[in-house]
Amino acid sequence: MRVYVEYGAAAPFELVKAILLYGTKDRIRLATVHSPEPDPNGGPPILGEGRPVTREFVERLSRDLHSELPASWLPEHILVWSHSLVAWWEPARVRPMFFEQTTDGKMLDGKLFPHPPLVFAVQHMRLSVWALAENERPSPETTLCAAPYWNTAEDGTVCHGSMPVPRAITASTLGQWSEAYFMSRFTHSNFGRNPCRHVEGFLGMWRDLAGKKTFPADYLVPGKTLCATLRLTA
């Protein structure tokens, strides 16, 4: 194979490795790397025995193809930054929530509420959210709690619904994702159980919190650690 580079000259290429991907059209479950071996009959190279792709191989491939993440300064609120996953946290604050007028939440529509500190994550352009019991930057071993909101499942994934999804994921646009989440209208519960510990459930909790300044951490339902939830390596 030959390829023309920018200055117009031709550079020779040869097959040195081949990667085979196995799985379904929706998800790759196995990748193997193979070395080419000469065909004794003079035909195209034959792929040798495959070995599982290692992290070192992927890192080298990324460097050689100049596809590494560019070096950049990450603000303190960013927790994880990679090609496939970005996670950040936001301190507790007061902000409004909006509810669909055809739901029982219409009595809460547009009111101001205190919210717990939150962890947001975007993976494959899908948003997830969890709550924190402490108003401080979490560590990998911090326990994440269920986000006490409609349109959000027990595993943190968000039903985008009417949410205006931002088109980019950059350090400067992360706030747009959280704002979009709260600017959309909450329409239904995605939980198979009560997403909070208030004696009167979700609507009773937010009814009691309307106009207040602080979200009681006792209302939160704890789950797994941040490391386990985001499937981070040690």
Side-chain angles (χ1 to χ4, degrees):
M1 179 187 295
R2 301 177 70 86
V3 65
Y4 286 92
V5 293
E6 292 183 359
Y7 49 83
F13 279 77
E14 62 182 66
L15 180 64
V16 293
K17 297 289 182 183
I19 300 174
L20 299 183
L21 306 177
Y22 302 87
T24 65
K25 67 177 182 179
D26 298 320
R27 183 177 180 182
I28 296 172
R29 297 185 178 275
L30 175 66
T32 56
V33 59
H34 304 253
S35 296
E37 299 177 356
D39 182 357
N41 298 318
I46 300 173
L47 296 185
E49 181 179 355
R51 296 184 178 181
V53 171
T54 63
R55 177 179 296 183
E56 290 75 18
F57 180 85
V58 173
E59 291 175 348
R60 176 189 169 190
L61 181 65
S62 180
R63 288 194 302 270
D64 290 349
L65 295 178
H66 304 288
S67 59
E68 291 182 288
L69 284 172
S72 59
W73 178 263
L74 297 180
E76 185 180 3
H77 70 285
I78 295 178
L79 305 174
V80 179
W81 191 275
S82 71
H83 279 295
S84 60
L85 172 66
V86 176
W88 68 101
W89 84 286
E90 295 186 4
R93 58 174 288 189
V94 173
R95 65 171 110 207
M97 285 198 296
F98 302 95
F99 292 83
E100 184 61 47
Q101 292 300 303
T102 57
T103 70
D104 291 338
K106 62 184 178 182
M107 62 181 178
L108 305 173
D109 184 52
K111 294 184 178 181
L112 289 173
F113 304 91
H115 296 266
L118 299 171
V119 169
F120 294 91
V122 176
Q123 189 168 30
H124 307 305
M125 297 303 288
R126 298 294 304 183
L127 182 67
S128 297
V129 60
W130 303 269
L132 294 168
E134 301 290 336
N135 194 29
E136 59 185 25
R137 189 180 195 272
S139 73
E141 298 308 314
T142 298
T143 297
L144 298 185
C145 301
Y149 305 109
W150 280 356
N151 298 16
T152 307
E154 292 184 55
D155 64 358
T157 54
V158 173
C159 175
H160 284 190
S162 63
M163 173 180 155
V165 179
R167 296 184 178 181
I169 306 174
T170 66
S172 61
T173 62
L174 297 184
Q176 296 177 14
W177 284 86
S178 55
E179 285 301 312
Y181 177 68
F182 283 106
M183 290 303 293
S184 64
R185 291 193 176 274
F186 292 104
T187 58
H188 61 285
S189 173
N190 287 60
F191 274 71
R193 57 187 173 88
N194 192 349
C196 66
R197 287 176 163 174
H198 191 279
V199 293
E200 294 185 54
F202 177 86
L203 293 176
M205 178 187 72
W206 288 113
R207 180 201 63 214
D208 290 350
L209 289 176
K212 296 186 178 178
K213 301 297 183 183
T214 304
F215 185 99
D218 291 345
Y219 289 167
L220 297 175
V221 178
K224 299 179 181 179
T225 65
L226 185 149
C227 186
T229 301
L230 298 183
R231 299 179 181 178
L232 304 180
T233 57

